[in-house]
Amino acid sequence: MSTLNLAESEASIIAEVQTLNRDVYEIEMPEDKFLKYDKFGARAAPFYVITFSGPLPAPTGDRSLMGAADDPVQGVVAIQTCAGDTDSLRTAHTEVLDLLTGFYPVNSGEMRWGGGNSYSLASNVVRPTLYVRVSFYTYETNIIFGED
């Protein structure tokens, strides 16, 4: 039995973000990891958290007479840029935005930026300790068939 597999295109996106020489995590920062701080030890150094979703039907529509498994699809990626202050956040976010917009993952078309949002992690009694900016990207991809 064959399975649908986006692992190669996802791995190539992670590898590309790692070229920015910042910590990169998939889905969430593991509990056994500690935040790195700036040279003064006061603010969290920027890092990225990558999540994947999809595949979604590609906007090109149903072009296959062979079945849904052969239709073109879109991969969806959310990149969370996290930092201890807004200036570092802005810089790190711009770097990943420049890097991934137009990037071609393995077996895929170019990545397109598709929006995003920002938020901070804080409470009612302390100032924000982590600022987060999320960017969403889509890319058309050829699904790779593999064996279970």
Side-chain angles (χ1 to χ4, degrees):
M1 175 180 216
S2 61
T3 59
L4 300 176
N5 186 348
L6 297 172
E8 287 183 7
S9 62
E10 291 175 359
S12 68
I13 293 167
I14 292 169
E16 186 70 8
V17 175
Q18 288 172 333
T19 65
L20 294 174
N21 295 318
R22 299 186 192 279
D23 288 344
V24 177
Y25 305 104
E26 189 173 355
I27 302 174
E28 65 183 21
M29 185 176 175
E31 288 183 20
D32 63 343
K33 299 288 183 183
F34 295 96
L35 288 176
K36 293 181 180 172
Y37 288 87
D38 64 12
K39 62 184 176 183
F40 305 109
R43 296 185 176 133
F47 63 94
Y48 302 106
V49 179
I50 302 174
T51 55
F52 297 94
S53 66
L56 301 174
T60 53
D62 180 3
R63 299 185 308 170
S64 174
L65 298 175
M66 302 302 293
D70 295 320
D71 287 345
V73 297
Q74 276 190 332
V76 179
V77 184
I79 309 288
Q80 296 178 51
T81 305
C82 306
D85 65 279
T86 55
D87 289 336
S88 297
L89 178 71
R90 194 172 296 111
T91 299
H93 176 260
T94 299
E95 290 173 356
V96 78
L97 185 65
D98 288 345
L99 180 73
L100 292 183
T101 302
F103 173 68
Y104 286 84
V106 172
N107 295 317
S108 303
E110 70 177 337
M111 293 181 68
R112 293 178 199 87
W113 178 74
N117 64 331
S118 300
Y119 60 93
S120 64
L121 301 178
S123 73
N124 291 332
V125 294
V126 297
R127 70 176 181 82
T129 55
L130 197 63
Y131 297 88
V132 181
R133 192 159 182 183
V134 183
S135 292
F136 300 96
Y137 301 86
T138 59
Y139 60 96
E140 291 187 21
T141 187
N142 297 316
I143 290 182
I144 306 303
F145 287 92
E147 295 299 317
D148 283 345

